[in-house]
Amino acid sequence: HTGPPIRGPPPARGQQADLNYFGQIPASVARFLEEVQREMWLVGTPMVVYHNEVAPGQHELSPIFQVSNVANDQNQLCMEIMHEVAGKHGLAVLFHEKPFAGLNGNGKHNNWSVQGFGGGQAVNLMKTGRTAADQKRYAVATACLARTLKVHGDVVRMACVGAGNDHRLGAQEAPPAIMSLYPGVGMEAHMKAIAEGGPLEGYTGESKALGYGCSNCQGISVNAEDRNRTAPFPSCGNRFEFRAVGSSQNVSLVNTVLQTICADAFKNFADAIEAGQAPKEVARAALDKHWKVIFNGNNYDLDNQQMLTDKGVWRIDSGVDAICRLTAPENIDLFERTGVLSEPEVAARQTVLLEHYVGTVEMEAGCMVDMINQHVIPSCKAAGVGPVDALQAAVKTLQGAVHAIEAAGDHIEKAKLARALRLEAMIDVRAVCDEAEGVVPADKWTLATYRDLLFLDQTHHPEKDVVTY
């Protein structure tokens, strides 16, 4: 079981008109989610929200925040419980970042903030407030975050790497692989004023009233800033949200990186302040130097992506290239001077990430070969239709690419070949498989279709002998 179907043309109904997003949760899925919620409560995790997402068969769960290391453990435990509970309901959970071509991918929204101390009590540094002290802290912390993403954006991109995420980043509810910061329009204006010598305080970030234009409907309170879904790191009022994280990932690496680079940036600010500089001057200098990383626009727009790239904002499209940034000298120095990882530990983690990338692609390629040989070609022959010769040639192409990976000399070369196989050769082979599925009669087709997999309440027939990979 690889996660994605790796073949199959899209169904007539996909995610048009957001029918799944605003529709009722399918009964079989609702029973599954209710049991997951109960199981999570039993192990001490407050799982309070679950709902449909945009794509058919796509759903989201949201726990209440916890201290970072606890949240990491609970997230991993939740994935294990979901797998176990799904089996009891005759379902399968796909954590792959892009399980179905043409439909929204999956990710984890890593909501993250930093707690500090002021006036003898804990304070959230990523939330502004009504007092001048709160506003100053938030302004300095946001300036610090801007510096962090500009200087260490390559490590942030590395933290969300994966073979599946290379399919997802840049579209379908996922930001591009460009590490920009979205503070919101109002906060951007305030930061601009700080960069020009203005005061740190002044931005309250208070919620706004939103009316419906109808006297019978009570208005609601909304955040001061819109949540930019195209941004990799948008502000969400009392936290920042790292939206590029893959759905299959263990988020411990992600949060280890965020804490490390944030601690390094805070030390940079603290050293300057303790040396005699005013906090406003330290924040102003950081914003002036790293302003290019701040962007509130549409990150999906190709012209905007090119503009950010030209400005020098970190952009690494290839997951393999992002992994290789881990052992760049400046990043080894980052982890060593913060006492988080030694040089051998950094190198070991890079090797593990590369091996995982390669192994994932090898399994998917091997599965695709089995599906073609055992199902697609026999179905075409049974029906007397379809591109049999092209399918047989495709098998040889895949097998040759896998052999090339196995023969490669080192982990980096293997990973680069694996990426080319998954994002190029396997995409071409998939088109041939989809062509076959489009002409073979349904009674001769032995693999589950997108319709079978995505619309369970309408198509789930336990007595039907359907093979799902």
Side-chain angles (χ1 to χ4, degrees):
H1 181 68
T2 63
I6 63 181
R7 39 118 306 264
R13 174 185 164 185
Q15 55 193 47
Q16 303 95 321
D18 291 330
L19 294 177
N20 187 67
Y21 203 9
F22 297 108
Q24 184 178 3
I25 299 177
S28 58
V29 177
R31 289 190 293 269
F32 157 70
L33 291 174
E34 288 170 2
E35 184 170 351
V36 168
Q37 185 182 47
R38 287 195 300 270
E39 292 295 324
M40 292 305 295
W41 275 100
L42 289 174
V43 296
T45 301
M47 186 72 68
V48 295
V49 175
Y50 58 81
H51 57 84
N52 284 350
E53 261 298 334
V54 175
Q58 187 179 47
H59 310 275
E60 180 174 343
L61 300 115
S62 301
I64 294 177
F65 74 92
Q66 298 280 4
V67 175
S68 183
N69 63 323
V70 176
N72 294 338
D73 292 344
Q74 292 180 340
N75 185 273
Q76 197 67 19
L77 184 60
C78 181
M79 295 172 71
E80 295 176 7
I81 288 175
M82 289 176 72
H83 272 307
E84 294 173 1
V85 174
K88 295 165 57 178
H89 290 265
L91 302 174
V93 180
L94 304 182
F95 287 113
H96 193 278
E97 285 75 16
K98 193 68 174 176
F100 297 99
L103 300 176
N104 275 12
N106 299 320
K108 292 179 179 177
H109 296 167
N110 197 85
N111 290 276
W112 172 84
S113 60
V114 178
Q115 178 179 289
F117 294 89
Q121 62 182 1
V123 293
N124 182 356
L125 300 182
M126 299 303 175
K127 182 181 185 299
T128 187
R130 296 183 179 181
T131 69
D134 288 339
Q135 294 164 17
K136 289 178 180 179
R137 277 193 294 265
Y138 180 65
V140 172
T142 306
C144 192
L145 188 55
R147 177 195 182 277
T148 295
L149 286 178
K150 179 59 183 70
V151 175
H152 300 301
D154 58 336
V155 189
V156 178
R157 171 65 178 93
M158 178 280 303
C160 63
V161 78
N165 230 12
D166 269 5
H167 288 273
R168 168 181 169 261
L169 293 182
Q172 307 286 3
E173 275 291 287
I178 304 173
M179 296 298 109
S180 62
L181 176 68
Y182 171 86
V185 176
M187 185 57 183
E188 179 188 21
H190 182 63
M191 294 169 73
K192 189 71 173 177
I194 295 172
E196 294 172 353
L200 292 172
E201 68 273 19
Y203 179 76
T204 64
E206 291 190 15
S207 59
K208 302 177 292 186
L210 178 65
Y212 290 102
C214 174
S215 59
N216 289 333
C217 296
Q218 181 179 353
I220 59 175
S221 178
V222 298
N223 287 339
E225 305 287 359
D226 183 30
R227 187 178 63 151
N228 188 339
R229 292 173 177 267
T230 74
F233 224 96
S235 171
C236 296
N238 62 353
R239 66 199 185 278
F240 281 83
E241 180 184 41
F242 188 23
R243 294 179 59 86
V245 181
S247 51
S248 66
Q249 283 190 256
N250 183 323
V251 294
S252 59
L253 176 62
V254 174
N255 288 294
T256 296
V257 166
L258 292 181
Q259 324 298 33
T260 300
I261 62 177
C262 189
D264 185 67
F266 279 1
K267 182 180 184 302
N268 177 273
F269 273 41
D271 288 348
I273 293 170
E274 291 170 2
Q277 294 188 50
K280 184 178 83 168
E281 177 56 28
V282 176
R284 186 207 64 75
L287 290 173
D288 184 61
K289 184 175 182 180
H290 305 295
W291 185 265
K292 62 185 69 176
V293 80
I294 297 171
F295 181 66
N296 283 326
N298 180 5
N299 287 262
Y300 288 168
D301 183 89
L302 296 180
D303 290 338
N304 287 338
Q305 292 180 16
Q306 189 59 51
M307 177 268 294
L308 290 168
T309 304
D310 292 342
K311 283 185 174 182
V313 178
W314 274 107
R315 175 179 186 172
I316 310 177
D317 293 330
S318 165
V320 176
D321 291 344
I323 294 172
C324 293
R325 288 297 305 169
L326 188 52
T327 54
E330 60 269 29
N331 292 329
I332 293 174
D333 180 59
L334 164 70
F335 287 107
E336 286 197 319
R337 71 172 177 264
T338 52
V340 176
L341 295 171
S342 65
E343 182 173 355
E345 289 172 330
V346 171
R349 278 159 176 76
Q350 176 171 298
T351 298
V352 169
L353 288 170
L354 291 170
E355 288 181 339
H356 185 267
Y357 194 107
V358 172
T360 299
V361 174
E362 286 180 331
M363 286 187 287
E364 292 186 3
C367 184
M368 193 173 213
V369 168
D370 288 346
M371 294 168 74
I372 294 172
N373 282 335
Q374 298 172 15
H375 295 278
V376 182
I377 290 176
S379 293
C380 288
K381 289 182 176 179
V385 296
V388 174
D389 291 343
L391 289 165
Q392 291 172 336
V395 168
K396 294 180 180 179
T397 297
L398 294 175
Q399 291 173 333
V402 171
H403 292 328
I405 293 172
E406 294 170 346
D410 58 46
H411 295 296
I412 296 175
E413 184 183 356
K414 287 176 182 289
K416 288 182 177 180
L417 290 173
R419 185 175 190 273
L421 168 58
R422 188 61 185 92
L423 298 182
E424 298 172 15
M426 288 180 66
I427 299 299
D428 294 338
V429 171
R430 180 192 181 121
V432 181
C433 294
D434 292 354
E435 177 188 345
E437 184 173 336
V439 297
V440 172
D443 64 335
K444 296 290 192 297
W445 190 256
T446 58
L447 289 168
T449 66
Y450 268 28
R451 182 173 177 271
D452 295 324
L453 297 171
L454 291 169
F455 302 99
L456 295 178
D457 281 5
Q458 294 91 343
T459 64
H460 186 50
H461 304 292
E463 72 281 0
K464 185 178 179 182
D465 184 19
V466 176
V467 179
T468 59
Y469 279 75

